[in-house]
Amino acid sequence: MSPQLVIGLVSVSDRASAGVYKDEGIPSLKAWLGTAIASPAWRDETRLVADEQPLIEATLKELVDRAGCHLVLTTGGTGPAPRDVTPEATLAVADKVMPGFGEQMRQISLKFVPTAILSRQVAVIRGQALIINLPGQPKSIRETLEGLKEAGVHGIFAAVPYCIDLIGGPYIETHESVVKAFRPKSAQKSGQSGPA
């Protein structure tokens, strides 16, 4: 029996962490994951932190190294403003950089707004965990993860389950009506359909 999937959800916001307004990032992530993941047992670890690089770094390390997260999704703090330091914190805790995730996220966002080129989202591997920086807006989070089916644009989550396989994490199954996990035939468990 494979281990339980543990997903870290981190919202990076000075104002939300100070209670100035309600955080929307973590609820959006939870709601989307609840519709997308078909694996029978998974749980989340949530953190709401200010835009402080040492704090973000410590949070990411804690989620991976102590809480045992296989996947960590951050939201917020990826723009060009002086206090946007989520990518720097993420790269600082990385063993490997996974540039394809950031490239695809910007491609998806560029379908909607020209300012997507200002986004600095990155993805990295730390130990046996994948850490991905997502946009801050709930609508953008969903579009980035799920893609644009009507336009034939794949969301980044389609590649997440196989990445988790390759780094030694639990087998993630998805609801194909939301997002279809892409794996080569040799990596699929029996009864799983392959990429179309």
Side-chain angles (χ1 to χ4, degrees):
M1 188 172 163
S2 63
Q4 183 184 39
L5 173 64
V6 184
I7 303 176
L9 305 175
V10 182
S11 187
V12 181
S13 169
D14 284 333
R15 289 179 290 173
S17 65
V20 175
Y21 63 71
K22 189 175 182 290
D23 172 60
E24 294 183 351
I26 290 172
S28 296
L29 286 169
K30 279 188 180 188
W32 188 86
L33 291 166
T35 65
I37 297 178
S39 299
W42 66 277
R43 66 179 176 85
D44 59 64
E45 289 277 339
T46 63
R47 305 288 186 273
L48 178 57
V49 298
D51 286 281
E52 300 287 351
Q53 186 171 339
L55 179 57
I56 300 166
E57 285 181 33
T59 300
L60 296 175
K61 288 178 183 176
E62 185 259 326
L63 285 170
V64 173
D65 302 350
R66 289 195 287 287
C69 291
H70 306 100
L71 172 64
V72 178
L73 303 174
T74 73
T75 175
T78 61
R83 290 197 56 79
D84 289 334
V85 294
T86 303
E88 286 75 14
T90 304
L91 292 168
V93 304
D95 294 328
K96 293 180 181 175
V97 179
M98 303 294 289
F101 285 99
E103 293 163 7
Q104 182 65 3
M105 285 189 271
R106 282 180 282 280
Q107 283 300 312
I108 293 168
S109 296
L110 277 167
K111 304 276 185 206
F112 299 98
V113 290
T115 52
I117 59 174
L118 303 178
S119 169
R120 301 180 309 109
Q121 292 131 317
V122 299
V124 304
I125 303 291
R126 177 180 175 84
Q128 289 185 294
L130 173 62
I131 303 171
I132 304 173
N133 301 156
L134 294 171
Q137 297 301 317
K139 181 175 180 283
S140 300
I141 290 170
R142 182 182 53 74
E143 290 163 351
T144 299
L145 291 168
E146 195 170 318
L148 310 165
K149 293 182 186 78
E150 63 281 359
V153 177
H154 295 291
I156 63 160
F157 203 84
V160 167
Y162 186 49
C163 183
I164 300 293
D165 293 350
L166 292 172
I167 60 176
Y171 193 89
I172 302 172
E173 295 179 54
T174 61
H175 291 291
E176 292 187 9
S177 60
V178 178
V179 63
K180 183 175 184 176
F182 283 81
R183 288 181 170 95
K185 283 191 169 68
S186 60
Q188 295 169 22
K189 291 192 173 179
S190 59
Q192 298 293 307
S193 59

